[in-house]
C-alpha cells in the first residue's frame, strides 16, 4: 500500500472550510481505490500565525515542507495583515522556493456550471492555461526611492529569463502535442518592448521544433476579448505570470465562478514538492459561515492525485463532481443552492462510494 505524505496549509478565511472537504474527498478516493492512502501533516500557518508570531511561517518552514510529496493549500490573506506581506511570505515564497514554475489552471465548462455567455453549453469551453509561475512580473524585484517625497519613484521590475521562458513554453508545447490541442501564446509585445518581444521570439523559436502543433499568438487585450466572444477557440494557452493570473479569474467567471476554479503549482522535475490550491482567495466576505463552495478545492485535490500517479482516481473525482453539479440538488449559494460547504463535501464523498 502506497502512503502519500501531504503537507496541509489550510490558511485563512474560507481556506480551512474548503480544505476540510477536499481532504474528505481525497480519503474517500483513496479508500474506494484501495491502492493508496494519505498521511497528512497540518501546518497552522497564515495570518493568524503572523498576528501571534510576526511570521507567516517559521524560518525553517520551507525546509519542513521540502520533506513532503505535495502541499495542499487553502487560501492566504486576511484583513489586518497587508496582502503583500501575507502572500509574499507564504504562498509566493513556496512557489518560488520549490521552483513550481508551471501553474496549470483548467478552464472547463462542466455540466451544471452556469455560463454567463450566450449560446455556450457544457464542453463549449475547454482550455488549459499554462501560467508561468516563477518569475516575470512576479519576480519581486524593484525599488522604492525617495519614499514620501515629491520626487518619489517606484520600480517594479519584470524578469524574463531565457531559461524561464523556454521551459514554460516548452512545457506548453509538450502538453498541446500530447493532448492534440492547439496552443495560443498570450503576450503584449506591442507595448512591453523588452519582455514580451523576447517572449514572442522564444515562442517562435521553440515552436519550430513542434511543427505538428497548431499555434496562435495573441495580445492579452485581444485574448481577453476572445475569452468572452469566442472562448471555444482556445485549447492550451501559455502566458506570463501576471497575465495568467488575470486571465484565469476571467476564465473562472465564464465557467461557473471562483468556487469552481482549480490550480496546480508544479515543479515538473519533481525535485521539490508541488502545491495544489483553489485559485480563489480567502473570501473574507463569506468566511466562517459555511457558505464557501468547496468544489474548487476538490478539483485541485483531483489534480494532486493526477500528479501523484493516480490518474484514474483523479478522473473519478472530476466525473463525480460533474455528475453532482448536473444533479443540481446540493449546491452552495454561489451556484444557486442553499447547501453548506460540508454538505457539498459529504455529497461528493457519498457519490464516490456509490459509483
Ligand atoms: P477572493 O477570491 O477571496 O474573493 C473574490 C469573490 O469570490 C468574493 O466575493 C468571494 O466571496 C468569492 N469567492 C471566492 N471563493 C469562493 C468560494 N470558494 N465559494 C464561493 N464564493 C467564493 O478574492 P479577493 O476578495 O480579491 O481576495 C481576498 C483575500 O484573498 C486577499 O487577502 C487576497 O490577497 C487573497 N487571495 C489569496 C489567494 C490565494 O491564497 N491563493 C488568491 C487570491 C486572493
Ligand atoms: C492566485 C492569486 C495569487 C497570484 C496572489 C494571492 C498572490 O491571485 O493564485 O491567482 O496572484 O498568483
Ligand atoms: Mn489570482
Amino acid at each position: 500500500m502506497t502512503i502519500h505524505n501531504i503537507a496541509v496549509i489550510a490558511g485563512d478565511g474560507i481556506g480551512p472550510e474548503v480544505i476540510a472537504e477536499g481532504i474528505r474527498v481525497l480519503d474517500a478516493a483513496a479508500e474506494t481505490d484501495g491502492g493508496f492512502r494519505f498521511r497528512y501533516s497540518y501546518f497552522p500557518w497564515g495570518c493568524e500565525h503572523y498576528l501571534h508570531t510576526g511570521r507567516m511561517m517559521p524560518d525553517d518552514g520551507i525546509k519542513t515542507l521540502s520533506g513532503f510529496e505535495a502541499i495542499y493549500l487553502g487560501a492566504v490573506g486576511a484583513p489586518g495583515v497587508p496582502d503583500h506581506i501575507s502572500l509574499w511570505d507564504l504562498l509566493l515564497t513556496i512557489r518560488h522556493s520549490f521552483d513550481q514554475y508551471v501553474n496549470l489552471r483548467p478552464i472547463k465548462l462542466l455540466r451544471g456550471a452556469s455560463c454567463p455567455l450566450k449560446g455556450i453549453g457544457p464542453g463549449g469551453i475547454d482550455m488549459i492555461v499554462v501560467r508561468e509561475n516563477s518569475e516575470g512580473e512576479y519576480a519581486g524585484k524593484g525599488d522604492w526611492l525617495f519614499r514620501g517625497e515629491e520626487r518619489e519613484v517606484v520600480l517594479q521590475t519584470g524578469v524574463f529569463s531565457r531559461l524561464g521562458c523556454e521551459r514554460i513554453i516548452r512545457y506548453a508545447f509538450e502538453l498541446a502535442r500530447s493532448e492534440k490541442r492547439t496552443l495560443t501564446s498570450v503576450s503584449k509585445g506591442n507595448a512591453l518592448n523588452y519582455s514580451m518581444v523576447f517572449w514572442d521570439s522564444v515562442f517562435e523559436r521553440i515552436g519550430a521544433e513542434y511543427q505538428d502543433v497548431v499555434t496562435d499568438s495573441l495580445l492579452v487585450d485581444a485574448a481577453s476579448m476572445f475569452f468572452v466572444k469566442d472562448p471555444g477557440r482556445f485549447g492550451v494557452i501559455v502566458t506570463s505570470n501576471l497575465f495568467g493570473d488575470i486571465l484565469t479569474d476571467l476564465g473562472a467567471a465564464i465557467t461557473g465562478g471562483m468556487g469552481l476554479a482549480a490550480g496546480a503549482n508544479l515543479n515538473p522535475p519533481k525535485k521539490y514538492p508541488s502545491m495544489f490550491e483553489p485559485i480563489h482567495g480567502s473570501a473574507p466576505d463569506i468566511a466562517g459561515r459555511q457558505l464557501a463552495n468547496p468544489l474548487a478545492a476538490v478539483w485541485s485535490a483531483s489534480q494532486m492525485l493526477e500528479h501523484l500517479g493516480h490518474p484514474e482516481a483523479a478522473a473519478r473525482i472530476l466525473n463525480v463532481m460533474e455528475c453532482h453539479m448536473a444533479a443540481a440538488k446540493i449546491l452552495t449559494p454561489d451556484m444557486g443552492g442553499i447547501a453548506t460547504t460540508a454538505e457539498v463535501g459529504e455529497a461528493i464523498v457519498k457519490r464516490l462510494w456509490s459509483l
Side-chain angles (χ1 to χ4, degrees):
M1 168 87 63
T2 310
I3 306 278
H4 294 297
N5 284 308
I6 308 297
V8 180
I9 306 173
D12 306 311
I14 61 170
E17 296 170 69
V18 298
I19 287 297
E21 304 316 314
I23 299 252
R24 273 160 36 144
V25 172
L26 278 170
D27 282 339
E31 283 162 33
T32 50
D33 179 281
F36 62 96
R37 287 284 189 278
F38 293 100
R39 189 183 297 128
Y40 308 102
S41 300
Y42 291 84
F43 296 97
W45 301 341
C47 289
E48 192 94 342
H49 192 263
Y50 178 87
L51 291 172
H52 287 116
T53 65
R55 294 253 189 291
M56 289 296 291
M57 64 173 154
D59 288 341
D60 61 356
I62 290 298
K63 191 163 162 247
T64 304
L65 292 176
S66 66
F68 291 88
E69 268 179 279
I71 303 161
Y72 190 38
L73 183 135
V76 182
V81 181
D83 276 345
H84 68 277
I85 292 180
S86 57
L87 274 312
W88 265 105
D89 289 1
L90 188 58
L91 181 76
L92 296 175
T93 296
I94 295 173
R95 287 182 186 167
H96 287 194
S97 303
F98 292 143
D99 203 18
Q100 295 166 345
Y101 67 85
V102 175
N103 194 328
L104 211 53
R105 297 186 159 185
I107 311 275
K108 187 170 180 181
L109 186 60
L110 300 180
R111 284 184 291 129
S114 82
C115 178
L117 309 176
K118 261 192 286 180
I120 295 185
I125 304 175
D126 185 3
M127 46 176 136
I128 180 131
V129 175
V130 177
R131 168 189 179 191
E132 204 294 319
N133 208 34
S134 65
E135 54 170 36
E137 309 87 342
Y138 281 52
K141 302 294 171 219
D143 212 339
W144 199 316
L145 306 167
F146 314 121
R147 239 173 232 260
E149 297 176 34
E150 218 165 285
R151 55 181 179 154
E152 191 164 22
V153 174
V154 177
L155 307 168
Q156 185 85 45
T157 307
V159 173
F160 290 77
S161 67
R162 177 184 279 256
L163 180 121
C165 295
E166 282 183 358
R167 66 185 182 176
I168 194 69
I169 287 172
R170 197 174 285 287
Y171 183 94
F173 267 110
E174 289 291 334
L175 183 64
R177 173 179 274 172
S178 71
E179 297 206 348
K180 299 195 170 36
R181 318 274 311 259
T182 63
L183 175 62
T184 304
S185 164
V186 176
S187 62
K188 186 69 188 171
N190 54 357
L192 303 181
N193 52 340
Y194 295 103
S195 56
M196 292 294 168
V197 172
F198 179 64
W199 173 283
D200 289 345
S201 74
V202 174
F203 185 71
E204 211 176 302
R205 177 161 48 78
I206 305 266
E209 296 171 34
Y210 295 84
Q211 298 287 347
D212 52 315
V213 177
V214 176
T215 61
D216 195 4
S217 191
L218 290 177
L219 297 165
V220 67
D221 42 358
S224 312
M225 180 273 293
F226 283 129
F227 261 54
V228 175
K229 298 291 278 186
D230 184 20
R233 68 183 280 145
F234 295 107
V236 179
I237 293 175
V238 64
T239 191
S240 72
N241 213 329
L242 180 62
F243 293 171
D245 176 46
I246 298 166
L247 283 176
T248 51
D249 263 32
L250 180 55
I254 58 172
T255 52
M258 296 305 288
L260 290 178
N265 304 273
L266 303 177
N267 171 245
K270 297 196 174 176
K271 182 173 175 199
Y272 305 109
S274 293
M275 177 165 66
F276 300 83
E277 51 162 347
I279 82 170
H280 61 70
S282 53
D285 54 337
I286 57 166
R289 291 153 58 200
Q290 283 285 304
L291 292 171
N293 189 345
L295 294 178
V298 168
W299 194 337
S300 313
S302 153
Q303 288 185 296
M304 182 159 93
L305 279 177
E306 173 105 44
H307 178 76
L308 293 173
H310 304 293
E312 280 163 23
R316 212 149 45 84
I317 290 184
L318 207 57
N319 181 30
V320 157
M321 200 178 119
E322 189 164 19
C323 291
H324 174 80
M325 286 162 50
K329 286 209 181 85
I330 304 175
L331 298 171
T332 43
D334 58 306
M335 293 186 73
I338 52 160
T340 64
T341 311
E343 282 166 350
V344 173
E346 265 163 42
I348 299 285
V349 166
K350 227 187 244 168
R351 270 181 194 274
L352 269 170
W353 279 104
S354 65
L355 198 74

